[in-house]
């Protein structure tokens, strides 16, 4: 069973601080899963000084959420490889 979750934001609205980013994503619908993707942006900005201008990303996975198989880690690794 597939779940379709859409998260849209202006890339300039994503905070550059980890704690602020956590608060930002918790306040948005579908922000919990999107935080794993956008968190990669925060890491790249803080550790490498890389700032992206914007992008669209489509994610499809058969890794089950919340089953203890590191679905969040898989999402982060895939995102970092794509970026």
């Amino acid at each position: 069973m597939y779940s379709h979750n859409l998260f849209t934001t202006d890339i300039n609205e994503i905070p550059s601080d980890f704690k602020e980013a956590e608060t930002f994503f918790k306040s948005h619908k579908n922000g919990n899963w999107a935080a794993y993707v956008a968190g990669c942006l925060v890491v790249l900005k803080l550790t490498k000084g890389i700032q992206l201008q914007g992008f669209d990303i489509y994610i499809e996975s058969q890794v089950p959420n919340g089953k203890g198989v590191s679905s969040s880690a898989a999402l982060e690794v895939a995102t970092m490889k794509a970026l």
Side-chain angles (χ1 to χ4, degrees), residues 1 36 61-74:
M1 178 177 205
Y36 293 112
S61 174
Q62 294 182 6
V63 177
N65 292 333
K67 301 293 184 192
V69 293
S70 299
S71 58
S72 57

Side-chain angles (χ1 to χ4, degrees), residues 7-8 11 25 27 33 36 43-44 46 51 55-56 63 66 69 79:
F7 180 87
T8 303
I11 198 164
F25 286 105
S27 70
W33 74 266
Y36 293 112
V43 169
L44 289 174
L46 292 177
Q51 276 190 268
F55 64 94
D56 293 325
V63 177
V69 293
T79 300

Side-chain angles (χ1 to χ4, degrees), residues 5-7 33-34 37-38 54-60 75 78-80 82-83:
N5 297 301
L6 178 65
F7 180 87
W33 74 266
V37 174
F55 64 94
D56 293 325
I57 188 168
Y58 173 80
I59 300 164
E60 182 176 322
L75 178 55
T79 300
M80 288 297 262
L83 294 174

